[in-house]
Amino acid sequence: MLANELIDRLERRGLLDQEIIEALREQLTEGGARVTPEAVAKLLVDNGQLTRFQASKLIGELRSPDYEDVVEAVDADDDLAAIGGEDDVMMVDEVFDAEPIDAEPVEAVAVEAEPVEAVAVAEDVGEKRPRPKRPSGRVAPPEHKSVWDSFKIYGYLGIIGFLAIAGYGFYFILTKASADDVIDAANKQYDSQSYQPAQDAYISFLAQYGEDNQYSSRARTRIGMCEIYRSAQMTDPTEGLHKAKEVLPRIIDEPAMNDERGNLAALLVDIAENIAKEARKATETVEKQQLLDELDEQWTLIDNPNYMLTSMKTTLEGRLLQVTEARNRVKRDIVRNIQLDETEAAMKQALAEKDTKQAYDLRNELLRDFPELAVNPRLTVLVGEASEIQETLVSLSKDKPESITTPIEEGSLKSIVLTNRVEIKPPVPGLQDEIFYLRAGGSVLAFSAYDGQLLWRKFTGYGEDHTPIRLDDGRSVLLTDLNENEVQSYRGKDGELQWRVKVGETFVEPVAGKDSILISVHSGKLISLDSE
């Protein structure tokens, strides 16, 4: 049957969906062999599923080789009655202009009177539709409602509905897969720390898929994180702090933020470390103070439980401790610089008044708290100036102490030394002339280093513990008598007095050079003695 062959051609060429092909075959089975390919083609053209050109070409291909034989072999009037009468043929002729289809073969076949019975059926149905005029001698076949009308109404709507649902499903699947691809690409950029490309990718995702996609919260969160990461990598370490203060309130309540808590905690510590490092490098006190204030603001973010949980502080405890130590060092540096400035100003004032002692005292007080400033260039210059001023203030005194060589009057009191000596066996070779001097219990004792024998003992009094000073390679010794405020030189081997000088006032421990002894008196005088 030609109608079946038409459907086969449509299926082979893929001009219709398989669902429509199956529906056509089903309707063709119900319509029987009397359905013509022209009727099928007209239905498809009316439904918009074929163009006029496609339908004409297909009918022409079917009819061209044996069209005449087919027309003569088939009772055309019966076929027309099956699909709705001669009117349908006229409508097909209007749709298809192909050569093989014209009215001449239809007119050539005479319609006999037998179909009167069909007319009676049509009258029983009560059909009121006006009928076209027919040539005399021909009886119009009864109207017949084609099954294709039902297909046209319900089948087409069903197919459209099915296609719409299927299309929506395909669109959803394709869109979801595409969203997965886009977000995966952005995540790879983010994980590789390419924050600018990652940020652009997340922004593109939101523009393409909107704010309500399942990945939109992650995109918004990581856009903010990318902004903070990029700012933290800038030369100015405070840019990270400023960007964090701006961005975090915007993204902290995002559901996807829970996955970024660890990254955020580490990032906040990174920013704090950068600020502390820059503060250590700064030389100006004002700059150090500004960076310290910024570091305190960053520490406020770290202490905020919305940004860093207690468990994360425990994990990052080591790094946080280092930041705290760095902050304390910076704070100490600031205090040191402030005190250095104040001490420098006070020393300059004291030197202007030629009060060198006050200048030295100010310097010593500063060095007690900050010993590293002993070599500070600013203080070194001031000490040099103080020394030059001090030289101008030194003058020789006419009241010079004189050495006394007369023995010390001991009166009726004699000192007795009780010792428990252990003899060294054997003695130490090469130490026959070496003498060891020891101060103990207000006295100085002299021992022979050769055999450990106690040579002599001198009482020097209690008070400041001045060390015995070896003179002449140990053959003599200089002692300080704190009771009489005098210095005394004794011979080492037997403790005989060589000379003594009465200072007359308290003094600090003497300093012995190669040929001289210097004694600094608390009143400010300096006494120089010949060691001989």
Side-chain angles (χ1 to χ4, degrees):
M1 187 173 62
L2 291 180
N4 222 349
E5 185 176 349
L6 175 64
I7 296 174
D8 292 340
R9 287 176 179 258
L10 292 172
E11 183 178 10
R12 287 196 302 272
R13 299 186 183 184
L15 296 177
L16 297 177
D17 291 337
Q18 189 62 35
E19 291 84 356
I20 299 176
I21 295 293
E22 297 298 331
L24 287 173
R25 293 190 189 280
E26 182 179 352
Q27 296 294 334
L28 188 61
T29 301
E30 295 177 1
R34 292 171 296 177
V35 180
T36 64
E38 287 83 357
V40 176
K42 179 178 181 299
L43 174 63
L44 296 175
V45 172
D46 291 343
N47 290 343
Q49 294 162 335
L50 285 181
T51 64
R52 288 172 53 90
F53 174 78
Q54 290 173 324
S56 299
K57 184 176 180 181
L58 288 169
I59 296 298
E61 291 175 355
L62 286 172
R63 297 291 191 184
S64 58
D66 54 352
Y67 176 74
E68 296 293 340
D69 296 336
V70 172
V71 172
E72 291 177 358
V74 179
D75 187 352
D77 286 342
D78 291 342
D79 290 343
L80 290 175
I83 63 173
E86 187 176 332
D87 290 342
D88 286 343
V89 176
M90 295 173 64
M91 293 175 65
V92 173
D93 289 341
E94 292 174 1
V95 175
F96 307 112
D97 298 325
E99 289 288 331
I101 304 175
D102 53 32
E104 186 176 8
V106 177
E107 294 295 333
V109 179
V111 180
E112 300 189 16
E114 281 84 347
V116 171
E117 201 175 39
V119 174
V121 173
E123 290 175 355
D124 292 340
V125 173
E127 190 67 52
K128 302 296 183 179
R129 188 165 67 96
R131 301 178 182 276
K133 292 182 179 181
R134 294 182 177 272
S136 59
R138 297 185 61 186
V139 180
E143 292 281 351
H144 177 70
K145 186 175 181 181
S146 175
V147 294
W148 295 99
D149 293 337
S150 299
F151 172 78
K152 182 176 180 180
I153 297 174
Y154 300 108
Y156 184 60
L157 291 177
I159 292 172
I160 291 177
F162 173 78
L163 292 177
I165 295 174
Y168 177 78
F170 284 125
Y171 173 78
F172 177 79
I173 294 173
L174 294 176
T175 302
K176 182 178 183 300
S178 179
D180 289 340
D181 293 340
V182 174
I183 203 70
D184 287 344
N187 291 339
K188 289 180 180 178
Q189 296 283 0
Y190 183 82
D191 294 337
S192 64
Q193 300 182 1
S194 301
Y195 297 117
Q196 182 61 64
Q199 181 179 346
D200 295 339
Y202 287 124
I203 292 175
S204 176
F205 177 87
L206 291 179
Q208 184 175 357
Y209 298 100
E211 300 289 339
D212 298 326
N213 188 275
Q214 59 177 329
Y215 301 120
S216 296
S217 178
R218 179 184 296 181
R220 289 190 296 269
T221 300
R222 291 195 167 181
I223 287 173
M225 291 293 293
C226 287
E227 293 178 10
I228 301 176
Y229 272 118
R230 291 174 52 221
S231 299
Q233 294 173 350
M234 293 184 179
T235 304
D236 185 357
T238 61
E239 288 295 328
L241 165 64
H242 299 157
K243 183 60 69 174
K245 292 169 61 178
E246 172 190 345
V247 172
L248 287 180
R250 188 178 74 219
I251 65 173
I252 195 61
D253 294 327
E254 289 285 349
M257 193 66 211
N258 292 330
D259 296 333
E260 293 294 324
R261 295 283 183 182
N263 292 335
L264 176 60
L267 177 56
L268 292 177
V269 177
D270 289 341
I271 296 173
E273 289 175 341
N274 293 338
I275 296 176
K277 181 179 179 181
E278 191 67 19
R280 288 293 308 277
K281 291 167 54 180
T283 56
E284 298 296 330
T285 304
V286 175
E287 183 181 0
K288 280 182 175 289
Q289 185 62 54
Q290 290 176 348
L291 289 170
L292 184 63
D293 294 340
E294 299 278 4
L295 182 58
D296 290 340
E297 289 188 32
Q298 180 65 23
W299 202 262
T300 302
L301 297 181
I302 293 175
D303 283 337
N304 190 332
N306 291 327
Y307 301 152
M308 184 178 293
L309 302 177
T310 304
S311 59
M312 296 177 183
K313 284 187 177 181
T314 302
T315 303
L316 299 171
E317 182 179 4
R319 295 179 60 189
L320 290 174
L321 181 60
Q322 291 178 355
V323 174
T324 302
E325 293 175 350
R327 179 187 178 277
N328 292 336
R329 285 194 294 269
V330 172
K331 189 173 182 179
R332 181 181 182 277
D333 291 345
I334 293 174
V335 174
R336 180 195 64 193
N337 292 346
I338 293 175
Q339 292 190 12
L340 175 61
D341 294 339
E342 294 175 351
T343 301
E344 182 183 24
M347 288 181 65
K348 288 181 178 180
Q349 179 66 29
L351 294 179
E353 298 173 357
K354 294 188 177 182
D355 189 353
T356 55
K357 183 177 184 304
Q358 177 67 15
Y360 283 124
D361 290 343
L362 290 170
R363 174 180 178 273
N364 292 337
E365 182 179 353
L366 178 64
L367 294 183
R368 277 197 296 269
D369 295 331
F370 306 101
E372 68 271 18
L373 293 178
V375 294
N376 183 271
R378 293 158 63 183
L379 294 181
T380 302
V381 171
L382 292 177
V383 170
E385 293 179 5
S387 299
E388 293 176 359
I389 295 174
Q390 186 69 29
E391 288 180 2
T392 64
L393 298 178
V394 175
S395 60
L396 295 177
S397 173
K398 295 181 180 180
D399 184 15
K400 295 185 292 183
E402 295 182 0
S403 61
I404 304 173
T405 58
T406 58
I408 299 175
E409 181 64 36
E410 296 181 355
S412 59
L413 297 179
K414 300 292 183 179
S415 61
I416 300 175
V417 180
L418 301 178
T419 62
N420 181 20
R421 185 174 65 87
V422 178
E423 184 177 358
I424 299 177
K425 294 182 179 181
V428 182
L431 297 180
Q432 290 84 350
D433 297 330
E434 290 295 325
I435 301 174
F436 176 70
Y437 302 100
L438 174 66
R439 179 177 175 82
S443 300
V444 175
L445 294 84
F447 293 93
S448 171
Y450 174 69
D451 56 7
Q453 181 180 358
L454 176 64
L455 302 179
W456 51 267
R457 170 185 176 274
K458 297 292 181 182
F459 179 77
T460 57
Y462 300 98
E464 296 187 26
D465 191 12
H466 290 183
T467 304
I469 299 175
R470 294 165 60 88
L471 301 175
D472 192 18
D473 294 332
R475 287 187 288 270
S476 300
V477 62
L478 181 69
L479 306 181
T480 301
D481 190 335
L482 300 177
N483 292 328
E484 301 295 333
N485 288 327
E486 65 180 21
V487 292
Q488 305 164 353
S489 175
Y490 290 91
R491 192 162 52 199
K493 64 180 181 179
D494 54 12
E496 182 180 348
L497 178 66
Q498 294 178 313
W499 55 262
R500 58 192 177 95
V501 173
K502 193 172 187 64
V503 178
E505 54 184 305
T506 58
F507 54 91
V508 299
E509 184 175 309
V511 177
K514 182 178 181 181
D515 298 320
S516 62
I517 300 170
L518 299 179
I519 303 173
S520 178
V521 183
H522 289 158
S523 63
K525 292 188 295 183
L526 178 64
I527 300 174
S528 177
L529 303 176
D530 190 313
S531 60
E532 294 294 332

